[in-house]
Amino acid sequence: MTTTPPGYVVPAPNADTREFWEGCKAHQFRVQRCQNCGTFRHYPRPACHQCASFDTEWVDIGGGGVVYSFTIARHPFHPAFRDKTPYAILVVEMDDAPGVRMASNMVDCPVDDVRIGMPVEVVWEDLSDEVTLYKFRPLNR
Ligand code: ZN
């Protein structure tokens, strides 16, 4: 068993988010879909924001999307990010889950090359046996 590297800020799964983070450990992007009206949602929460139903299923939506918005972090907001700036923070509209937008960092791409509408795909960063983070990289379509 490995442990999370020191200095990392890691998620703390709860009853609502545990399935999402377990999916990340399995390298699957799992989001909730309402079983009453079919609406996808993320962040994880107990009820549908469209119809208020509690009937929910988890589905793997794949890892493709396009950059909906982004910003460049040039100053670290936490000491763990001191040697990682500048980096791009993306909001990605997911291809296979209409209405779902995921936020994370871009990797394998100079920050000045990031553009709205850019196709991206998820990459997994296994920090330890307990924690896997998701990030995005450019996809050449
Ligand atoms: Zn619904």
Side-chain angles (χ1 to χ4, degrees):
M1 176 184 292
T2 60
T3 58
T4 303
Y8 266 79
V9 179
V10 296
N14 61 33
D16 291 330
T17 64
R18 183 161 287 108
E19 183 70 23
F20 174 77
W21 292 112
E22 288 296 316
C24 289
K25 283 168 46 176
H27 295 185
Q28 295 178 346
F29 243 146
R30 296 178 190 158
V31 300
Q32 294 173 306
R33 182 171 53 197
C34 176
Q35 291 184 298
N36 184 52
C37 73
T39 300
F40 290 95
R41 67 180 184 268
H42 187 81
Y43 60 94
R45 50 199 182 270
C48 176
H49 60 279
Q50 290 295 322
C51 74
S53 172
F54 286 91
D55 295 331
T56 299
E57 63 181 341
W58 288 88
V59 293
D60 181 354
I61 62 167
V66 296
V67 176
Y68 177 82
S69 185
F70 71 96
T71 190
I72 307 298
R74 297 188 186 278
H75 301 282
F77 72 90
H78 185 277
F81 295 91
R82 187 173 295 131
D83 63 346
K84 295 178 174 57
T85 57
Y87 58 90
I89 303 164
L90 310 179
V91 176
V92 174
E93 196 151 60
M94 301 307 294
D95 290 339
D96 296 334
V100 169
R101 295 178 184 148
M102 310 293 288
S104 189
N105 298 18
M106 177 75 98
V107 296
D108 299 334
C109 181
V111 294
D112 292 334
D113 290 352
V114 178
R115 298 286 183 268
I116 290 173
M118 179 181 221
V120 294
E121 64 181 355
V122 70
V123 291
W124 303 103
E125 184 177 349
D126 297 311
L127 293 182
S128 69
D129 291 344
E130 299 83 30
V131 179
T132 296
L133 301 179
Y134 65 93
K135 299 190 176 177
F136 293 98
R137 69 179 170 205
L139 175 68
N140 296 321
R141 293 184 179 179

Short mmCIF file of all heavy atoms in Angstrom, two decimals, residues 20 24 29-31 41-44 61-62 64 66-69 89-94 97 99-105 120 122 124 134 136:
data_model
loop_
_atom_site.label_atom_id
_atom_site.label_comp_id
_atom_site.label_asym_id
_atom_site.label_seq_id
_atom_site.Cartn_x
_atom_site.Cartn_y
_atom_site.Cartn_z
N PHE A 20 -18.29 8.50 -6.92
CA PHE A 20 -17.50 9.23 -7.92
C PHE A 20 -16.01 8.95 -7.73
O PHE A 20 -15.29 8.62 -8.68
CB PHE A 20 -17.77 10.74 -7.84
CG PHE A 20 -16.87 11.53 -8.73
CD1 PHE A 20 -17.10 11.59 -10.10
CD2 PHE A 20 -15.76 12.19 -8.22
CE1 PHE A 20 -16.25 12.28 -10.94
CE2 PHE A 20 -14.90 12.89 -9.06
CZ PHE A 20 -15.15 12.94 -10.42
N CYS A 24 -13.06 7.05 -9.99
CA CYS A 24 -11.73 7.57 -10.36
C CYS A 24 -10.65 6.53 -10.07
O CYS A 24 -9.75 6.34 -10.89
CB CYS A 24 -11.45 8.87 -9.61
SG CYS A 24 -12.44 10.28 -10.17
N PHE A 29 -15.05 7.63 -15.29
CA PHE A 29 -15.74 8.86 -14.94
C PHE A 29 -17.20 8.53 -14.67
O PHE A 29 -17.99 8.36 -15.59
CB PHE A 29 -15.67 9.86 -16.09
CG PHE A 29 -14.94 11.11 -15.76
CD1 PHE A 29 -14.20 11.75 -16.72
CD2 PHE A 29 -15.01 11.69 -14.50
CE1 PHE A 29 -13.52 12.91 -16.45
CE2 PHE A 29 -14.33 12.85 -14.21
CZ PHE A 29 -13.57 13.46 -15.19
N ARG A 30 -17.57 8.38 -13.41
CA ARG A 30 -18.94 8.04 -13.05
C ARG A 30 -19.67 9.30 -12.58
O ARG A 30 -19.19 10.00 -11.69
CB ARG A 30 -18.97 7.02 -11.92
CG ARG A 30 -18.37 5.68 -12.30
CD ARG A 30 -18.40 4.74 -11.12
NE ARG A 30 -17.62 3.54 -11.41
CZ ARG A 30 -17.12 2.75 -10.48
NH1 ARG A 30 -17.33 3.00 -9.20
NH2 ARG A 30 -16.41 1.70 -10.82
N VAL A 31 -20.81 9.56 -13.20
CA VAL A 31 -21.65 10.66 -12.74
C VAL A 31 -23.06 10.11 -12.50
O VAL A 31 -23.41 9.01 -12.94
CB VAL A 31 -21.70 11.84 -13.74
CG1 VAL A 31 -20.31 12.42 -13.96
CG2 VAL A 31 -22.35 11.44 -15.05
N ARG A 41 -26.06 14.72 -13.76
CA ARG A 41 -25.64 15.78 -12.84
C ARG A 41 -24.28 15.49 -12.25
O ARG A 41 -23.88 14.35 -12.06
CB ARG A 41 -26.68 16.01 -11.75
CG ARG A 41 -26.86 14.87 -10.77
CD ARG A 41 -27.92 15.25 -9.73
NE ARG A 41 -28.09 14.25 -8.72
CZ ARG A 41 -28.99 13.25 -8.76
NH1 ARG A 41 -29.79 13.12 -9.81
NH2 ARG A 41 -29.08 12.40 -7.77
N HIS A 42 -23.58 16.54 -12.00
CA HIS A 42 -22.32 16.52 -11.27
C HIS A 42 -22.12 17.94 -10.76
O HIS A 42 -22.31 18.89 -11.53
CB HIS A 42 -21.14 16.14 -12.17
CG HIS A 42 -19.88 15.96 -11.38
ND1 HIS A 42 -19.60 14.81 -10.69
CD2 HIS A 42 -18.87 16.80 -11.11
CE1 HIS A 42 -18.45 14.94 -10.06
NE2 HIS A 42 -17.99 16.14 -10.31
N TYR A 43 -21.87 18.17 -9.53
CA TYR A 43 -21.35 17.40 -8.44
C TYR A 43 -22.42 16.42 -7.90
O TYR A 43 -23.62 16.69 -8.04
CB TYR A 43 -20.89 18.33 -7.32
CG TYR A 43 -22.02 19.20 -6.77
CD1 TYR A 43 -22.74 18.78 -5.65
CD2 TYR A 43 -22.35 20.37 -7.39
CE1 TYR A 43 -23.77 19.55 -5.15
CE2 TYR A 43 -23.39 21.15 -6.88
CZ TYR A 43 -24.10 20.74 -5.76
OH TYR A 43 -25.12 21.48 -5.29
N PRO A 44 -21.96 15.34 -7.27
CA PRO A 44 -22.90 14.36 -6.73
C PRO A 44 -23.76 14.94 -5.61
O PRO A 44 -23.27 15.65 -4.73
CB PRO A 44 -21.99 13.26 -6.18
CG PRO A 44 -20.69 13.45 -6.88
CD PRO A 44 -20.56 14.93 -7.11
N ILE A 61 -19.31 7.85 -18.02
CA ILE A 61 -19.54 8.73 -19.17
C ILE A 61 -18.33 8.84 -20.09
O ILE A 61 -18.31 9.66 -20.99
CB ILE A 61 -19.98 10.14 -18.73
CG1 ILE A 61 -18.89 10.81 -17.88
CG2 ILE A 61 -21.31 10.07 -18.02
CD1 ILE A 61 -19.12 12.30 -17.68
N GLY A 62 -17.28 8.03 -19.87
CA GLY A 62 -16.11 8.19 -20.70
C GLY A 62 -15.37 9.47 -20.32
O GLY A 62 -15.80 10.18 -19.42
N GLY A 64 -14.11 12.04 -22.61
CA GLY A 64 -13.92 13.07 -23.63
C GLY A 64 -14.79 14.28 -23.39
O GLY A 64 -15.90 14.19 -22.87
N VAL A 66 -14.91 19.00 -24.24
CA VAL A 66 -14.30 20.20 -24.81
C VAL A 66 -14.19 21.26 -23.72
O VAL A 66 -15.02 21.32 -22.80
CB VAL A 66 -15.09 20.76 -26.01
CG1 VAL A 66 -15.10 19.77 -27.17
CG2 VAL A 66 -16.49 21.14 -25.62
N VAL A 67 -13.16 22.11 -23.84
CA VAL A 67 -12.95 23.17 -22.86
C VAL A 67 -14.09 24.18 -22.99
O VAL A 67 -14.27 24.79 -24.05
CB VAL A 67 -11.59 23.85 -23.06
CG1 VAL A 67 -11.43 25.02 -22.09
CG2 VAL A 67 -10.46 22.85 -22.87
N TYR A 68 -14.87 24.33 -21.92
CA TYR A 68 -15.96 25.29 -21.88
C TYR A 68 -15.45 26.65 -21.41
O TYR A 68 -15.85 27.69 -21.90
CB TYR A 68 -17.06 24.78 -20.94
CG TYR A 68 -18.21 25.71 -20.75
CD1 TYR A 68 -19.23 25.78 -21.69
CD2 TYR A 68 -18.29 26.53 -19.63
CE1 TYR A 68 -20.29 26.65 -21.53
CE2 TYR A 68 -19.34 27.39 -19.46
CZ TYR A 68 -20.34 27.46 -20.41
OH TYR A 68 -21.39 28.32 -20.23
N SER A 69 -14.54 26.62 -20.43
CA SER A 69 -13.94 27.84 -19.90
C SER A 69 -12.64 27.46 -19.21
O SER A 69 -12.40 26.29 -18.92
CB SER A 69 -14.89 28.51 -18.90
OG SER A 69 -14.37 29.75 -18.48
N ILE A 89 -6.60 25.87 -15.20
CA ILE A 89 -7.76 25.25 -14.56
C ILE A 89 -8.90 25.30 -15.57
O ILE A 89 -9.27 26.38 -16.03
CB ILE A 89 -8.15 25.99 -13.27
CG1 ILE A 89 -6.95 26.05 -12.32
CG2 ILE A 89 -9.37 25.33 -12.63
CD1 ILE A 89 -7.10 27.07 -11.21
N LEU A 90 -9.42 24.13 -15.90
CA LEU A 90 -10.44 24.03 -16.96
C LEU A 90 -11.82 23.74 -16.39
O LEU A 90 -11.96 23.10 -15.35
CB LEU A 90 -10.11 22.85 -17.89
CG LEU A 90 -8.72 22.71 -18.45
CD1 LEU A 90 -8.65 21.46 -19.31
CD2 LEU A 90 -8.33 23.93 -19.25
N VAL A 91 -12.82 24.18 -17.12
CA VAL A 91 -14.18 23.66 -16.98
C VAL A 91 -14.46 22.96 -18.30
O VAL A 91 -14.40 23.60 -19.36
CB VAL A 91 -15.21 24.77 -16.71
CG1 VAL A 91 -16.62 24.18 -16.68
CG2 VAL A 91 -14.88 25.47 -15.41
N VAL A 92 -14.70 21.65 -18.24
CA VAL A 92 -14.85 20.83 -19.45
C VAL A 92 -16.28 20.35 -19.57
O VAL A 92 -16.84 19.76 -18.64
CB VAL A 92 -13.88 19.62 -19.39
CG1 VAL A 92 -14.12 18.67 -20.56
CG2 VAL A 92 -12.44 20.11 -19.38
N GLU A 93 -16.86 20.61 -20.74
CA GLU A 93 -18.20 20.08 -21.04
C GLU A 93 -18.02 18.67 -21.58
O GLU A 93 -17.34 18.46 -22.58
CB GLU A 93 -18.89 20.97 -22.07
CG GLU A 93 -20.37 20.74 -22.16
CD GLU A 93 -21.08 22.02 -22.59
OE1 GLU A 93 -20.79 22.50 -23.70
OE2 GLU A 93 -21.92 22.51 -21.82
N MET A 94 -18.62 17.70 -20.89
CA MET A 94 -18.38 16.29 -21.20
C MET A 94 -19.23 15.85 -22.40
O MET A 94 -20.43 16.13 -22.48
CB MET A 94 -18.67 15.42 -19.98
CG MET A 94 -17.82 15.79 -18.76
SD MET A 94 -16.04 15.85 -19.05
CE MET A 94 -15.71 14.12 -19.42
N ALA A 97 -22.35 13.31 -21.53
CA ALA A 97 -23.27 13.64 -20.44
C ALA A 97 -23.71 15.09 -20.58
O ALA A 97 -23.14 15.98 -19.96
CB ALA A 97 -22.62 13.39 -19.08
N GLY A 99 -24.89 18.63 -20.20
CA GLY A 99 -25.10 19.45 -19.01
C GLY A 99 -24.06 19.25 -17.92
O GLY A 99 -24.01 20.04 -16.98
N VAL A 100 -23.23 18.22 -18.06
CA VAL A 100 -22.21 17.98 -17.03
C VAL A 100 -20.92 18.68 -17.43
O VAL A 100 -20.42 18.50 -18.54
CB VAL A 100 -21.94 16.47 -16.84
CG1 VAL A 100 -20.70 16.23 -15.99
CG2 VAL A 100 -23.16 15.81 -16.20
N ARG A 101 -20.42 19.49 -16.51
CA ARG A 101 -19.14 20.17 -16.69
C ARG A 101 -18.25 19.81 -15.52
O ARG A 101 -18.66 19.93 -14.37
CB ARG A 101 -19.34 21.69 -16.77
CG ARG A 101 -20.12 22.09 -17.99
CD ARG A 101 -20.36 23.57 -18.03
NE ARG A 101 -21.20 23.92 -19.17
CZ ARG A 101 -22.05 24.92 -19.18
NH1 ARG A 101 -22.16 25.72 -18.14
NH2 ARG A 101 -22.78 25.16 -20.25
N MET A 102 -17.03 19.38 -15.84
CA MET A 102 -16.07 18.95 -14.84
C MET A 102 -14.93 19.96 -14.76
O MET A 102 -14.49 20.46 -15.80
CB MET A 102 -15.48 17.58 -15.21
CG MET A 102 -16.49 16.51 -15.57
SD MET A 102 -17.52 15.99 -14.20
CE MET A 102 -16.34 15.07 -13.25
N ALA A 103 -14.44 20.21 -13.58
CA ALA A 103 -13.33 21.14 -13.38
C ALA A 103 -12.09 20.40 -12.94
O ALA A 103 -12.15 19.52 -12.08
CB ALA A 103 -13.70 22.19 -12.34
N SER A 104 -10.98 20.72 -13.58
CA SER A 104 -9.69 20.17 -13.16
C SER A 104 -8.58 20.91 -13.91
O SER A 104 -8.84 21.87 -14.63
CB SER A 104 -9.60 18.67 -13.42
OG SER A 104 -8.41 18.15 -12.81
N ASN A 105 -7.38 20.40 -13.77
CA ASN A 105 -6.22 21.01 -14.40
C ASN A 105 -5.95 20.40 -15.77
O ASN A 105 -6.28 19.25 -16.01
CB ASN A 105 -4.98 20.79 -13.56
CG ASN A 105 -5.07 21.43 -12.20
OD1 ASN A 105 -6.16 21.75 -11.74
ND2 ASN A 105 -3.94 21.59 -11.56
N VAL A 120 -10.51 17.68 -25.33
CA VAL A 120 -9.64 17.14 -24.30
C VAL A 120 -10.11 15.75 -23.92
O VAL A 120 -11.23 15.34 -24.23
CB VAL A 120 -9.60 18.04 -23.04
CG1 VAL A 120 -8.96 19.38 -23.34
CG2 VAL A 120 -11.00 18.23 -22.45
N VAL A 122 -9.67 12.80 -20.47
CA VAL A 122 -9.26 12.65 -19.09
C VAL A 122 -7.96 11.85 -19.01
O VAL A 122 -7.71 10.97 -19.85
CB VAL A 122 -10.37 11.98 -18.25
CG1 VAL A 122 -10.55 10.52 -18.62
CG2 VAL A 122 -10.09 12.12 -16.75
N TRP A 124 -5.59 10.04 -15.70
CA TRP A 124 -5.72 9.69 -14.28
C TRP A 124 -4.39 9.83 -13.59
O TRP A 124 -3.36 9.40 -14.12
CB TRP A 124 -6.23 8.25 -14.16
CG TRP A 124 -7.53 8.06 -14.88
CD1 TRP A 124 -7.70 7.46 -16.08
CD2 TRP A 124 -8.81 8.51 -14.47
NE1 TRP A 124 -9.04 7.51 -16.44
CE2 TRP A 124 -9.74 8.14 -15.47
CE3 TRP A 124 -9.28 9.19 -13.34
CZ2 TRP A 124 -11.09 8.43 -15.37
CZ3 TRP A 124 -10.62 9.48 -13.24
CH2 TRP A 124 -11.52 9.10 -14.25
N TYR A 134 -8.35 13.19 -11.31
CA TYR A 134 -8.54 13.27 -12.76
C TYR A 134 -8.04 14.61 -13.25
O TYR A 134 -8.18 15.62 -12.56
CB TYR A 134 -10.00 13.05 -13.16
CG TYR A 134 -10.94 14.13 -12.68
CD1 TYR A 134 -11.25 15.21 -13.50
CD2 TYR A 134 -11.51 14.08 -11.42
CE1 TYR A 134 -12.11 16.20 -13.07
CE2 TYR A 134 -12.36 15.06 -10.97
CZ TYR A 134 -12.66 16.12 -11.79
OH TYR A 134 -13.50 17.11 -11.36
N PHE A 136 -7.04 16.69 -17.32
CA PHE A 136 -7.33 16.64 -18.75
C PHE A 136 -6.08 16.98 -19.54
O PHE A 136 -5.21 17.71 -19.09
CB PHE A 136 -8.44 17.64 -19.11
CG PHE A 136 -9.78 17.28 -18.52
CD1 PHE A 136 -10.21 17.87 -17.34
CD2 PHE A 136 -10.58 16.33 -19.11
CE1 PHE A 136 -11.44 17.53 -16.79
CE2 PHE A 136 -11.80 15.98 -18.58
CZ PHE A 136 -12.24 16.58 -17.40
#
